[in-house]
């Protein structure tokens, strides 16, 4: 298991989090970025390493969850994110089900990086996705994920959208053409 490196870019208005882990001799890494709300755009840079030993885990039935940011299953994540966001590294045993409540005001997605999953999204629709796929869950309520025959590993994220315009530019985004 690996640690994370959350940080905010100087005067750039983006928040990045990197997760890297060694699996079977390979190094596997993930990077996710968020566009910050306009009121946080001009903060100074802030980066810090969070060692794997500081990332708390929970063990709901049939799965294990590393809580990287936010709160889940009574466990608080070690990474500070500046915004209301939850990031989980989830391993689900073969044929088992993982369920998580998601606040109605949050946007939610999951990225499978091992195995296959069948999800019941927040509107009750079935969504099948496999390793290397991203599933976006719209609507309200929680998400239900069922692992395939070989189990599954995924990153699950949800957060409060800031509902401000975004002007894409390079690897990050701005809220408007002016900032």
């Amino acid at each position: 298991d690996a640690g994370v490196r959350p940080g905010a870019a100087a005067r750039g208005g983006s928040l990045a989090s990197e997760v890297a882990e060694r699996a079977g001799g390979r190094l596997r890494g993930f990077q996710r970025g968020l566009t910050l709300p306009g009121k946080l755009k001009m903060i100074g840079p802030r980066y810090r390493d969070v060692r794997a030993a500081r990332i708390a885990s929970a063990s709901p039935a049939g799965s294990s969850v590393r809580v990287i940011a936010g709160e889940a299953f009574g466990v608080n994540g070690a990474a500070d994110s500046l915004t209301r966001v939850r990031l989980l590294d989830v391993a689900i045993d073969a044929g088992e089900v993982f369920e998580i409540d998601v606040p109605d005001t949050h946007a939610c997605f999951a990225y499978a990086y091992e195995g296959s999953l069948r999800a019941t999204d927040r509107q009750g629709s079935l969504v099948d996705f496999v390793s290397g796929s991203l599933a976006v869950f719209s609507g309200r309520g929680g998400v239900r994920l069922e692992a395939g025959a070989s189990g599954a590993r995924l990153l699950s994220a949800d957060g409060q959208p800031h509902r401000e315009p975004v002007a894409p530019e390079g690897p990050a985004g701005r809220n408007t053409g002016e900032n």
Side-chain angles (χ1 to χ4, degrees), residues 54-117:
R54 290 198 51 227
I55 300 174
S57 296
S59 298
S63 61
S64 64
V65 179
R66 295 176 64 219
V67 183
I68 297 167
E71 185 276 332
F73 306 102
V75 174
N76 289 312
D80 178 25
S81 64
L82 294 176
T83 61
R84 290 194 59 202
V85 65
R86 174 171 50 188
L87 180 62
L88 310 175
D89 182 7
V90 182
I92 308 171
D93 296 337
E96 293 290 333
V97 172
F98 171 78
E99 294 183 87
I100 188 155
D101 292 328
V102 178
D104 288 346
T105 58
H106 282 204
C108 180
F109 72 85
Y111 175 76
Y113 63 92
E114 284 182 17
S116 62
L117 295 142

Side-chain angles (χ1 to χ4, degrees), residues 26-38:
R26 297 182 330 197
L27 183 64
R28 176 172 37 208
F30 304 97
Q31 183 173 13
R32 74 134 167 104
L34 303 170
T35 300
L36 292 172

